[in-house]
Amino acid sequence: MPFESRSEESRSPGNPQLEKGLTTEQVATRVARGQANTTDQTSSRSIRDIIRTNVFTRFNALLGALFVLVTITKSWADGLFGVVLVVNAAIGITQEYLAKRKLDRLALLNAPTTWVVRDGHLAQVRTAQVVIDDLIELRTGDQVAADGRLLSAAGLEVDESTLTGESDPVPMTAGDDVRSGTTVVAGSGHFIAAAVGANSYSHRILSEMRKFTRTTSEIQRSVNTLLRYITWIIVFALPLQIWSQTRAIGNQGWREVVIRSTGGLVGLVPEGLVLLTSVAFLLAAVRLSRQQVLVQELPAVEGLARVDVVCLDKTGTLTIGDITFEELLPLGDATADEVRPPLGALADDPNANGTLKAVARAVVAPPGWQREHTTAFNSARKWSAAEFTGRGTWLLGAPDVLLAPDDPIRDQVGRLTATGRRVVLLCHSRSPLRQSDLPADLHPRALVVLSERVRPDAAETLRYFRSQNVDIRIISGDNPATVAAIAQRVGLEFTDDGVIDARTISTDPDQLRDVVRHASIFGRVSPEQKRSLVQALQRNGHVVAMTGDGVNDALALKEADIGVAMGNGAQATKAVAQLVLLDGQFAHLPSVLAEGRRVIGNVERVANLFVAKNVMSLVAIVTAAAFSLPFPFLPRHLTLVSTLTIGIPAFFLALAPNRRRYEPGFLRRVLRFAVPCGFVAGSVVIVSYLLGRHRYGLANGSSCVILGGGPSPQEVACWQPGTGAAVALLATSFWILVVLARPFDWRKTLLIGSLAVIAATAFVLPSTRTLLNFDLPSGLLVQSLIVGVSGAGAVEVVLRLVSRQERD
């Protein structure tokens, strides 16, 4: 269904241009002309991009070139790594495509929407379906969908900070220009779309803004650094390997040189690391989508796991957000019968905020009250007003803004807010209303008492965050006493000096750094101050998540490391957030945190496996060059070892549960463990190979040629040193895998046990022995196992030393 129809009752009457809008046929014509509000920005990569990023990489190019060289030699078994290369790319493409389909469908269902008038009816359509000349209605919280000129405006104020950098809302009147990407913070209006999609003024600016605010991922940054290191290592190792193998076995022909050289270079390529990192992010996003969490930027899954401070807006986050009218308390000589009519008239506003809607449900609008002028509520002003013909101006807003500092009514307000209830003040003025200027002759007439329901899951969720050493800050535009009372109801502990009225503090982030260290409850916070408080926490070294649902939260959400918007929140808020809780359930955040920790912990495990293999290959290459040795392995040997101890287990480990708390230093920890383990594995390979050459194989190793029709006895003897090295490397590599897979459960035990059985089978079955060029006399088996087990012991020592350094 292209859009959802609504009643026209809320639409402003009186302007003929606002009655009809475009017809369905006119809309279809404009869509056919390409005049719709679509751009090339999508929520995920295109299929072409998916294929390109999974296939056309520098490492795939290197492995592809090596595969071509090996196939030229017609040593087909040594080209098995090419099959692994294709399978890796196919898995990556398939996984990302399936995830793309699911996430795109979810994003489409929750795409931003715009109110338009079509065929004389007000309708809500996806913003991408807006076309040129559409008649658009603006409401508080909407993002402006296109460029155009206002036909009407009622108390309309627009935040243009995304385009101009100016944070103050701009009052708008009929005839003013509005631009896409800006946000309506108060009032309502109508305009005709004059420029849409890529032709809009803000398209280029907003595109750059999105790129600049891309979520930072420590995992991706660390993996990219690893890949950069490995690239330079390959640049160094490539000529060294070719030179050393030419020198060692050049007399056996170019084919032997190519195959032995390829064996070392294949081990240097982390062909599955990027794939598994991407798959881990994608599947995490898909898992969270099943819990009604839309991940708008994949690295945000990891980002929330790094968060150590969560800033919460009260309304819509800690509370359900549906405000309920509780009672009306007349002031002075006023009576309830006198103050109910103006209160009902104020609430009878087509662009009412949550407070006025709650009042409207309880107080009937009186007949005969003609509204002349309106000043809509916004979070910076904290009051709304309307001037009625012959009845003066009536205002409804925050008592501490509308009352004089020494007014005794403040004591009554304080007693009410201390119970967690919300209190607004109804005032009357005989002065005419002048937009955002507060009338001078205010007369308080009544207190309107409202209440908010605390989310049933809020207390438990906050307890979880505290147990994970994540600090909580509540940042709200409401009265500090009310915010503090709500905080107490959800179990937050704080001292009296930890509750701050934001009107008494600075808006400069540097000056707020000391304040945010000791204070945890902030009330009467303006949208700009919310952003400044987030910046102050970041400058104190914290990773900050901000949750919210209102327009007043949008600036802070955009500034935070991770922005979390409620699904029922304003479109502007959801547009800048990395995560959207589609059903508005705050209780989903622990699941997001756990998913992020799973991704970080598992990718770290996988990275250790790959880096250890790279270091092992480098050690073997350098040692072979130093001692003029043939490289110990054929490519087929490393394909077997890599598949059984890295490729298959890495895929499963990347998706396994992992509740380890996040600690900074991903790359440092990987290098600290994987480099010495890789050195141990490389040493095991060289030692076992030298022992095998000394006691087994041919006396004159230079006469070994592995190509031919055979296997002849001479060829079988040539296989033995490499077979012994493979046994020793498998023993050490399996232990590295065991160390990284801890703690064990039945799934991991079954996985590693099955892979070990498969590895043993490769040395036993005649067909695989011939395919892989394995020959393993019993003495060589024992000798190689001793070397491999010694390497496993050295890996355990490395683990203990690294663990001790981490504790220290």
Side-chain angles (χ1 to χ4, degrees):
M1 187 170 69
F3 56 82
E4 175 184 300
S5 296
R6 268 181 55 101
S7 166
E8 295 181 76
E9 292 177 358
S10 63
R11 186 152 47 90
S12 299
N15 189 330
Q17 288 182 280
L18 306 185
E19 293 302 320
K20 294 294 183 183
L22 296 178
T23 65
T24 301
E25 292 75 16
Q26 290 172 325
V27 171
T29 300
R30 284 159 174 75
V31 171
R33 291 174 183 168
Q35 295 177 319
N37 200 31
T38 55
T39 67
D40 58 357
Q41 292 173 345
T42 57
S43 60
S44 62
R45 294 192 292 195
S46 68
I47 295 176
R48 177 184 297 179
D49 287 339
I50 290 173
I51 294 174
R52 184 173 65 247
T53 54
N54 281 279
V55 174
F56 300 106
T57 68
R58 59 179 179 270
F59 292 123
N60 283 358
L62 175 61
L63 287 175
L66 294 175
F67 175 72
V68 171
L69 288 175
V70 170
T71 55
I72 291 174
T73 69
K74 298 183 180 180
S75 180
W76 308 114
D78 288 313
L80 288 174
F81 68 88
V83 177
V84 175
L85 182 68
V86 173
V87 170
N88 267 342
I91 290 174
I93 291 169
T94 302
Q95 291 279 16
E96 185 165 355
Y97 173 69
L98 294 175
K100 166 189 167 61
R101 286 181 58 192
K102 182 174 182 63
L103 295 175
D104 282 355
R105 284 198 299 267
L106 190 61
L108 185 62
L109 290 173
N110 295 278
T113 56
T114 300
W115 291 105
V116 297
V117 179
R118 290 180 180 173
D119 295 315
H121 297 277
L122 189 63
Q124 192 175 32
V125 303
R126 290 194 296 272
T127 298
Q129 294 176 321
V130 171
V131 299
I132 204 83
D133 298 327
D134 246 330
L135 176 55
I136 297 175
E137 178 174 302
L138 298 177
R139 301 178 175 194
T140 301
D142 286 351
Q143 270 200 317
V144 180
D147 297 347
R149 181 161 295 174
L150 286 169
L151 299 175
S152 71
L156 183 66
E157 296 183 17
V158 176
D159 177 4
E160 297 184 336
S161 60
T162 54
L163 301 183
T164 66
E166 295 294 333
S167 59
D168 292 335
V170 179
M172 293 283 183
T173 59
D176 289 342
D177 291 332
V178 288
R179 292 171 175 170
S180 63
T182 57
T183 303
V184 179
V185 295
S188 62
H190 294 81
F191 74 98
I192 299 291
V196 297
N199 294 321
S200 65
Y201 174 83
S202 66
H203 172 69
R204 179 179 57 82
I205 297 175
L206 293 178
S207 298
E208 293 300 317
M209 181 190 73
R210 290 188 186 101
K211 293 177 184 176
F212 180 76
T213 58
R214 185 67 59 187
T215 304
T216 301
S217 166
E218 183 184 1
I219 288 179
Q220 290 181 331
R221 187 173 60 246
S222 299
V223 168
N224 288 338
T225 301
L226 277 176
L227 297 180
R228 192 162 58 248
Y229 291 163
I230 292 168
T231 300
W232 283 108
I233 290 172
I234 291 174
V235 169
F236 161 76
L238 178 61
L240 176 64
Q241 175 76 336
I242 295 173
W243 171 79
S244 70
Q245 296 310 293
T246 302
R247 182 180 171 206
I249 56 174
N251 62 322
Q252 298 175 17
W254 68 271
R255 290 182 177 87
E256 293 287 336
V257 172
V258 168
I259 292 171
R260 291 285 177 178
S261 298
T262 301
L265 295 172
V266 167
L268 285 176
V269 179
E271 64 273 9
L273 180 56
V274 177
L275 163 70
L276 288 170
T277 302
S278 300
V279 168
F281 277 132
L282 282 167
L283 294 187
V286 172
R287 285 184 180 184
L288 289 172
S289 71
R290 298 191 187 109
Q291 302 179 48
Q292 294 298 299
V293 178
L294 174 60
V295 180
Q296 303 201 111
E297 292 182 27
L298 291 180
V301 176
E302 171 211 339
L304 192 59
R306 294 188 286 112
V307 163
D308 58 3
V309 175
V310 174
C311 297
L312 307 172
D313 178 44
K314 175 182 68 68
T315 304
T317 304
L318 292 181
T319 60
I320 292 176
D322 55 341
I323 304 169
T324 303
F325 177 85
E326 193 168 298
E327 61 179 324
L328 181 64
L329 302 176
L331 298 173
D333 57 356
T335 65
D337 291 337
E338 292 173 346
V339 295
R340 274 185 176 274
L343 182 60
L346 277 173
D348 185 25
D349 185 344
N351 198 44
N353 62 6
T355 299
L356 289 177
K357 288 178 180 177
V359 172
R361 287 192 291 267
V363 181
V364 178
W369 284 65
Q370 183 64 42
R371 186 185 295 253
E372 292 184 0
H373 301 289
T374 299
T375 297
F377 178 87
N378 72 22
S379 54
R381 186 167 43 240
K382 301 190 185 304
W383 55 267
S384 62
E387 182 181 350
F388 299 96
T389 303
R391 303 178 189 274
T393 299
W394 288 87
L395 301 90
L396 190 68
D400 45 357
V401 173
L402 301 179
L403 290 173
D406 57 350
D407 196 309
I409 299 174
R410 286 179 174 269
D411 295 333
Q412 186 179 358
V413 172
R415 290 191 296 272
L416 292 168
T417 56
T419 64
R421 289 183 287 182
R422 187 172 181 178
V423 181
V424 290
L425 179 67
L426 178 68
C427 291
H428 179 254
S429 172
R430 296 183 179 85
S431 301
L433 185 59
R434 294 291 180 266
Q435 286 299 325
S436 58
D437 295 334
L438 191 65
D441 57 333
L442 291 182
H443 300 281
R445 305 302 290 161
L447 294 176
V448 181
V449 182
L450 308 124
S451 60
E452 298 179 80
R453 285 191 295 157
V454 173
R455 288 185 180 273
D457 54 8
E460 183 179 352
T461 303
L462 295 185
R463 277 197 301 272
Y464 173 81
F465 278 125
R466 287 197 300 274
S467 71
Q468 302 300 311
N469 296 325
V470 177
D471 291 336
I472 303 295
R473 302 287 190 277
I474 299 182
I475 303 175
S476 173
D478 212 337
N479 185 290
T482 302
V483 179
I486 296 293
Q488 285 181 325
R489 289 170 61 185
V490 296
L492 285 183
E493 297 179 0
F494 52 89
T495 58
D496 290 342
D497 61 353
V499 180
I500 300 294
D501 187 326
R503 294 172 301 175
T504 65
I505 58 177
S506 171
T507 58
D508 183 353
D510 287 322
Q511 296 181 24
L512 291 173
R513 292 179 62 178
D514 287 335
V515 177
V516 296
R517 285 192 179 98
H518 72 270
S520 55
I521 310 293
F522 296 87
R524 294 297 181 218
V525 186
S526 68
E528 293 75 18
Q529 278 185 312
K530 287 191 177 187
R531 178 174 58 184
S532 296
L533 289 168
V534 168
Q535 291 171 332
L537 287 164
Q538 290 171 327
R539 294 180 188 183
N540 283 345
H542 294 290
V543 180
V544 183
M546 175 74 196
T547 70
D549 67 339
V551 176
N552 59 323
D553 302 315
L555 293 176
L557 262 71
K558 183 177 180 297
E559 192 66 36
D561 297 282
I562 299 295
V564 183
M566 297 298 168
N568 57 352
Q571 292 183 30
T573 308
K574 291 186 285 187
V576 300
Q578 287 82 27
L579 300 172
V580 180
L581 306 182
L582 298 176
D583 57 2
Q585 294 298 315
F586 186 49
H588 291 316
L589 284 182
S591 297
V592 180
L593 181 65
E595 199 61 35
R597 287 179 173 176
R598 187 187 63 78
V599 169
I600 290 179
N602 290 342
V603 171
E604 185 171 325
R605 285 173 171 171
V606 168
N608 274 300
L609 290 173
F610 281 101
V611 174
K613 181 195 78 167
N614 299 148
V615 174
M616 177 277 297
S617 296
L618 182 62
V619 169
I621 288 172
V622 172
T623 306
F627 294 97
S628 298
L629 295 172
F631 188 75
F633 295 126
L634 302 176
R636 66 191 76 175
H637 298 157
L638 275 182
T639 299
L640 174 71
V641 174
S642 296
T643 300
L644 295 182
T645 65
I646 300 173
I648 294 175
F651 183 79
F652 285 97
L653 289 178
L655 306 178
N658 192 329
R659 297 188 179 277
R660 193 187 75 181
R661 292 186 181 184
Y662 166 77
E663 295 177 4
F666 174 93
L667 182 59
R668 172 180 53 80
R669 285 195 303 276
V670 168
L671 295 177
R672 182 179 289 180
F673 176 79
V675 169
C677 285
F679 182 82
V680 167
S683 301
V684 162
V685 168
I686 295 299
V687 170
S688 60
Y689 184 74
L690 290 175
L691 288 174
R693 279 171 58 91
H694 177 69
R695 300 187 59 184
Y696 298 90
L698 297 179
N700 182 8
S702 63
S703 64
C704 279
V705 179
I706 64 167
L707 300 171
S712 66
Q714 180 179 353
E715 286 179 324
V716 171
C718 284
W719 297 350
Q720 291 172 354
T723 304
V727 170
L729 179 59
L730 278 168
T732 301
S733 297
F734 267 116
W735 197 254
I736 293 175
L737 177 59
V738 166
V739 166
L740 293 173
R742 294 171 181 166
F744 271 88
D745 56 24
W746 69 269
R747 296 180 186 85
K748 294 177 186 176
T749 303
L750 179 62
L751 171 66
I752 297 176
S754 300
L755 294 173
V757 170
I758 294 172
T761 302
F763 295 91
V764 174
L765 291 179
S767 57
T768 56
R769 290 172 60 183
T770 301
L771 176 67
L772 296 172
N773 285 12
F774 280 159
D775 186 66
L776 191 62
S778 58
L780 179 61
L781 172 62
V782 173
Q783 172 183 290
S784 300
L785 284 176
I786 290 173
V787 175
V789 170
S790 300
V795 168
E796 194 68 33
V797 171
V798 169
L799 174 66
R800 294 175 185 273
L801 291 175
V802 169
S803 298
R804 183 180 301 171
Q805 289 176 348
E806 291 290 339
R807 288 194 300 270
D808 295 342

